[in-house]
Amino acid sequence: MRPGVFVSFEGSEGCGKSTQIQEIRSLLEARGRSCLATREPGGTALGEVIRNLLKHAPEGRGMCPEAELLLFAASRAQLVREIIRPALDAGTWVLADRFHDSSLVYQGMARGLGLEPVRRINGFALGACRPDVTFLLDMDAAAAWERARAVTRKMGREDRMESEPAAFYETVRQGYLKLAAEDPERVVVVPADRPLEVIRDEIWQTLTRRFDGLSG
Ligand code: TMP
């Protein structure tokens, strides 16, 4: 058993993952836990270049799903070796904004590559590194997408991953719910169209129940 705890946050763009990560990080740090937040794609110098290719760069337009899967996997492979594994080995809590489930859902299901190839690529890229617990922030796909688009518009930058038809994001939502149903011990579904504090408290309760010494 590794000394650190690995928690991933998943869900459609716009579901509030990064806000909840900040909240949980503050709670952990207030209890003296060392804590690291990561985001995907990205989180390393190499990963940030890949992120730009996947989301914004004109060279990424017309990317085939296979290349997309491999780029996400390359970014994650680097993140695991450079940041996540060393942090866990040092006893740090790692809060990941997306991890391997994103590839299963977006590339395996929504892009239609199938789960088996994505599992194989994830296995090669990550070895045995998997989250101890995953929070799936679930909400209406169209509402989440609107929220994400509002932020992107404000930043004034097109995002290739947010330019799909509505059915894509509904497949993403249903795909996540399917993964959660298949692995309910690890993947905890948290309804995300509620006030931030309510969601935070629910996530925190699960963490204090599962990991000793957090409450109080
Ligand atoms: P975000 O950082 O705003 O969530 O953007 C990441 C985008 O990349 C989002 O649209 C989901 C997508 N994505 C995949 O398609 N596969 C993956 O493996 C990961 C990590 C993200």
Side-chain angles (χ1 to χ4, degrees):
M1 177 82 178
R2 60 192 170 214
V5 178
F6 185 11
V7 186
S8 66
F9 292 76
E10 295 280 357
S12 310
E13 33 281 276
C15 68
K17 295 183 297 300
S18 49
T19 306
Q20 289 303 325
I21 288 173
Q22 280 172 25
E23 293 287 320
I24 297 300
R25 181 182 191 156
S26 302
L27 288 171
L28 285 167
E29 286 178 347
R31 282 156 185 80
R33 299 303 189 280
S34 121
C35 205
L36 179 89
T38 64
R39 74 163 180 182
E40 279 202 40
T44 63
L46 175 65
E48 291 298 319
V49 174
I50 296 176
R51 180 182 180 89
N52 186 49
L53 258 179
L54 281 163
K55 286 170 72 92
H56 307 295
E59 293 83 353
R61 282 187 214 129
M63 181 182 301
C64 65
E66 289 81 358
E68 186 179 274
L69 169 64
L70 291 168
L71 285 171
F72 279 116
S75 170
R76 188 171 306 128
Q78 189 70 25
L79 184 68
V80 161
R81 284 160 188 80
E82 199 176 313
I83 308 278
I84 294 181
R85 268 203 218 140
L88 291 171
D89 289 346
T92 295
W93 281 68
V94 174
L95 307 179
D97 189 335
R98 300 190 180 280
F99 199 65
H100 70 305
D101 294 318
S102 282
S103 288
L104 286 168
V105 168
Y106 282 80
Q107 281 65 53
M109 299 187 198
R111 294 280 195 232
L113 290 178
L115 292 182
E116 243 353 90
V118 180
R119 287 206 169 102
R120 259 185 286 126
I121 300 286
N122 267 337
F124 175 68
L126 311 177
C129 184
R130 294 291 183 282
D132 298 300
V133 59
T134 297
F135 293 101
L136 167 56
L137 301 184
D138 175 61
M139 65 182 281
D140 177 73
W145 184 82
E146 275 306 329
R147 265 164 47 167
R149 286 298 295 167
V151 174
T152 305
R153 265 196 301 270
K154 231 194 255 166
M155 284 166 29
R157 233 175 152 196
E158 268 316 295
D159 186 330
R160 194 182 62 88
M161 295 301 298
E162 287 172 15
S163 311
E164 297 298 328
F168 181 89
Y169 302 100
E170 187 53 36
T171 306
V172 165
R173 182 186 190 192
Q174 296 309 327
Y176 271 126
L177 290 171
K178 192 159 174 269
L179 286 190
E182 283 167 6
D183 192 358
E185 186 50 34
R186 175 178 65 88
V187 185
V188 180
V189 181
V190 182
D193 50 356
R194 297 178 297 167
L196 177 165
E197 300 77 18
V198 175
I199 301 171
R200 178 200 60 206
D201 292 350
E202 198 167 298
I203 293 174
W204 185 247
Q205 271 168 23
T206 300
L207 291 176
T208 51
R209 241 184 287 119
R210 290 198 186 194
F211 303 100
D212 286 343
L214 278 185
S215 50

